Amino acid sequence: MVRRVAVIGAGASGLASIKCCLDEGLEPTCFEQSEDIGGLWCYADTADCKRTSVYRSVITNTSKEMSCFSDFPFPDNFPNFLPHHRLLEYFRMYARHFGLLQHICFQTTVRSVRKRPDFSTSGQWDVVTESKTGWESHVFDAVMVCTGRYQEPLLPLASFPGLETRFRGRYLHSKEYRDTEGFQGKRVLVVGLGNSGGDVAVELSRAAAKVFVSARSSTWVVSRISSHGFPLDMVTRTRLIHFLEWLLPSAIMKRIRFGKFNSWFNHTNYGLASVQSRKFNVIINEELPFCLLSGTVVLKPAVKEFTESLAVFEDGTKENIDVVIFTTGYGFSFPFLEDSVRSLFQESCSLYKSIFPPQLEKPTLAIIGLIQLMGSVMVGAEMQARWVTSVFAGFNKLPPTSRMMADISRKKRQLAKGPPEQVNMRMGFVSYLDDIASCTGVKPNVPWLLLTDPRLGLAVAFGPCSPYQYRLRGRGRWSGARAAILTQWQRVLEPLRTRVLDDSPGGSTGSSWLRLLALLLLPPFLLS
């Protein structure tokens, strides 16, 4: 019987895991190597700190209603997209409200997690930690690893001949980037065009002499804002669209999606992507298209090599470069896990449901938050933690190892055959949440809701697939879930009501709400 649980990391995943342990009557102890909660979102002013931190100007890509913990909505007056300090403020509110801080050991680093000699029968772990007071050994019944996927910066230096041997300028990974200080008047090359690459390039364009972006694959650029001014994820992450994506052939969905991308601006004209692209990436950035139009950011192909002061590109063009910033992503590693355990999974898709190592004798180790979703990872991590703690507490069970291995093989085949944006472990938001919710017994029963509570049923079926939907039934049911779903659009508009205008001449309040409802129901067909 699991009772004592070690939670490693006090970021978003760790906080959710502590809360879920408490909900299931477990006894969590969280080890956090820094002096504060928030993980990645706890901004550090210097790149010298041991942990990864966001850069100063970062703003969330997913809206507050689609990113919150499922039983703790953001305050009404919080903006829809949040700077890092507002998200950290929300984490502090969550931790205080549910009494999580007393379960966290700050400035404590986990050095070793090893199976106990009797693991095959007990499932227990020896955990060794280091703090200011020295090293300490602990015994835990289960372990939840919540260190995330942004751990080890990937610097593919070997792929860029001349960078280390001839280039006299400076190069760094985006993990070291904080703001434009030190880049004024420089000619900067950003390698990689993901979300971070786009953000860094746009910000540097206001201070650097010139910014170049080198991209290998095609990139589609979308805005956080939908055609009618609502958060894009609230309009597109719906059960209706999820059903259409399942129903329609992938070629048709791809054509619809690319057509919508190009309705903002023609990506081929900008050198970003074409409808013929087989490998592509989708990033969120409202300012990049204007920077390309104004020439403050220049798009380039892949780099062939570096000389003393030049970057030579595959099309033969050359540019003088002072600084190279690699936005080439991160790898993950768990150096504290013993080799025999770490060897069981080298990637997220080797884990059952991206959580459990299937070959362990006892299911007492879970990896939380090691996922890439087409939506908020924070929401996915909370759903994982709810399922994991219900398994630890004995309310749910994992299938036999053979079934878990077969499921992993099937998912790998699906990812390999699926859209290119899914190959890198990027999974559908609604489909993944529903999958884990089914395992936990908390997936909403939409037909039943339509029969018994039509107003709520319509909101769940056609509105945003917000986290509150997974608190309507089952373990962890929250009495405020219904109200949270029915008032989510009010919370979207509330922070905008700083200057209210009368926009209903000759009309009634009822007709205004009908027009709003029409706007909310139509975009799913257009923005998928």
Side-chain angles (χ1 to χ4, degrees):
M1 180 68 181
V2 169
R3 178 60 59 186
R4 299 185 67 234
V5 180
V7 178
I8 304 176
S13 300
L15 294 175
S17 296
I18 299 169
K19 159 74 163 48
C20 292
C21 282
L22 296 173
D23 287 347
E24 295 292 359
L26 306 176
E27 300 172 5
T29 300
C30 177
F31 301 107
E32 168 55 46
Q33 67 176 354
S34 71
E35 68 285 347
D36 205 351
I37 63 172
L40 180 75
W41 291 97
C42 184
Y43 174 73
D45 202 36
T46 173
D48 295 334
C49 65
K50 296 180 181 179
R51 60 179 176 80
T52 303
S53 164
V54 294
Y55 35 92
R56 188 190 301 276
S57 63
V58 75
I59 293 178
T60 58
N61 286 335
T62 53
S63 65
K64 65 176 182 179
E65 292 300 308
M66 301 296 284
S67 303
C68 64
F69 295 115
S70 56
D71 55 355
F72 195 74
F74 280 90
D76 292 5
N77 63 344
F78 269 44
N80 285 282
F81 295 96
L82 298 118
H84 58 79
H85 67 276
R86 298 306 297 272
L87 186 58
L88 185 60
E89 181 183 351
Y90 171 73
F91 289 156
R92 296 194 199 287
M93 295 166 60
Y94 180 76
R96 286 194 300 268
H97 182 78
F98 292 109
L100 308 183
L101 295 177
Q102 61 185 309
H103 300 280
I104 304 175
C105 302
F106 291 104
Q107 294 183 298
T108 303
T109 302
V110 174
R111 295 300 185 191
S112 172
V113 176
R114 306 183 67 85
K115 293 189 287 187
R116 288 183 61 78
D118 62 348
F119 180 83
S120 60
T121 55
S122 71
Q124 291 183 324
W125 300 85
D126 285 320
V127 178
V128 178
T129 61
E130 182 184 9
S131 64
K132 289 182 178 180
T133 58
W135 292 60
E136 189 175 354
S137 296
H138 318 259
V139 176
F140 286 99
D141 300 315
V143 176
M144 300 175 75
V145 179
C146 306
T147 53
R149 58 177 298 107
Y150 298 100
Q151 300 174 31
E152 303 292 335
L154 296 178
L155 267 175
L157 302 181
S159 301
F160 298 88
L163 182 66
E164 296 180 278
T165 57
R166 287 183 287 171
F167 184 61
R168 295 176 181 172
R170 175 190 174 201
Y171 65 86
L172 65 150
H173 190 273
S174 57
K175 178 184 177 182
E176 302 176 54
Y177 179 82
R178 291 295 178 270
D179 52 36
T180 61
E181 184 65 32
F183 296 95
Q184 293 89 344
K186 303 291 186 181
R187 293 173 65 87
V188 181
L189 172 63
V190 177
V191 177
L193 188 51
N195 283 312
S196 295
D199 287 348
V200 170
V202 166
E203 183 171 60
L204 286 175
S205 70
R206 305 185 186 103
K210 197 76 170 180
V211 177
F212 302 91
V213 177
S214 170
R216 287 184 178 274
S217 59
S218 295
T219 301
W220 297 96
V221 184
V222 299
S223 170
R224 295 172 179 85
I225 307 169
S226 72
S227 300
H228 299 289
F230 295 102
L232 181 67
D233 56 357
M234 293 189 70
V235 176
T236 58
R237 302 288 180 259
T238 70
R239 295 187 177 279
L240 175 60
I241 290 182
H242 176 59
F243 173 74
L244 291 175
E245 289 175 339
W246 171 82
L247 180 66
L248 298 175
S250 59
I252 293 178
M253 290 305 303
K254 182 178 178 180
R255 182 179 291 272
I256 294 173
R257 187 178 293 114
F258 287 178
K260 187 58 190 177
F261 291 160
N262 273 333
S263 69
W264 184 22
F265 67 94
N266 189 307
H267 284 64
T268 304
N269 290 344
Y270 285 64
L272 286 163
S274 77
V275 293
Q276 306 302 324
S277 303
R278 291 186 56 83
K279 292 184 177 181
F280 63 89
N281 186 31
V282 180
I283 70 170
I284 296 174
N285 198 303
E286 291 79 19
E287 298 179 75
L288 182 60
F290 178 73
C291 288
L292 293 171
L293 267 182
S294 63
T296 54
V297 174
V298 176
L299 195 61
K300 303 293 291 186
V303 176
K304 181 180 178 181
E305 62 176 335
F306 286 92
T307 67
E308 289 81 358
S309 60
L310 297 174
V312 182
F313 300 93
E314 288 187 347
D315 62 357
T317 58
K318 303 176 182 180
E319 297 290 350
N320 282 298
I321 299 296
D322 299 309
V323 184
V324 182
I325 301 178
F326 287 92
T327 59
T328 43
Y330 292 82
F332 60 87
S333 64
F334 306 103
F336 46 82
L337 288 178
E338 63 176 278
D339 292 340
S340 64
V341 175
R342 196 164 61 243
S343 64
L344 296 177
F345 58 97
Q346 299 300 320
E347 51 190 9
S348 172
C349 54
S350 297
L351 297 167
Y352 181 60
K353 307 295 185 184
S354 300
I355 304 170
F356 287 103
Q359 295 165 315
L360 278 181
E361 302 97 309
K362 295 288 184 178
T364 56
L365 174 68
I367 314 298
I368 306 297
L370 192 66
I371 47 174
Q372 282 190 314
L373 296 180
M374 288 180 277
S376 172
V377 172
M378 193 167 91
V379 174
E382 186 202 23
M383 182 60 68
Q384 290 179 329
R386 291 178 66 187
W387 181 37
V388 166
T389 52
S390 72
V391 171
F392 287 171
F395 296 108
N396 285 296
K397 291 185 178 181
L398 296 184
T401 299
S402 58
R403 282 180 55 191
M404 290 192 286
M405 295 297 293
D407 181 82
I408 290 171
S409 298
R410 180 175 58 85
K411 290 292 174 62
K412 285 183 176 181
R413 290 194 298 270
Q414 288 178 348
L415 289 174
K417 294 178 181 179
E421 70 268 29
Q422 289 186 355
V423 172
N424 192 24
M425 295 184 289
R426 191 174 293 277
M427 295 171 285
F429 183 72
V430 179
S431 58
Y432 185 75
L433 290 182
D434 275 359
D435 187 17
I436 304 302
S438 295
C439 296
T440 316
V442 299
K443 180 182 175 182
N445 187 334
V446 180
W448 178 252
L449 288 174
L450 289 170
L451 285 173
T452 59
D453 191 342
R455 185 185 176 199
L456 178 61
L458 288 170
V460 171
F462 298 103
C465 187
S466 48
Y468 322 117
Q469 293 190 9
Y470 300 99
R471 291 284 182 178
L472 290 170
R473 61 188 291 261
R475 296 190 62 76
R477 182 180 179 273
W478 175 43
S479 60
R482 182 181 188 275
I485 293 170
L486 297 179
T487 58
Q488 57 194 347
W489 290 109
Q490 296 175 29
R491 287 189 297 279
V492 171
L493 297 176
E494 182 60 31
L496 302 176
R497 299 188 188 280
T498 55
R499 179 171 180 253
V500 181
L501 302 176
D502 182 7
D503 191 31
S504 55
S508 65
T509 303
S511 63
S512 297
W513 278 105
L514 287 175
R515 289 198 299 271
L516 175 60
L517 179 61
L519 289 177
L520 302 184
L521 291 180
L522 287 174
F525 295 94
L526 304 174
L527 295 173
S528 60

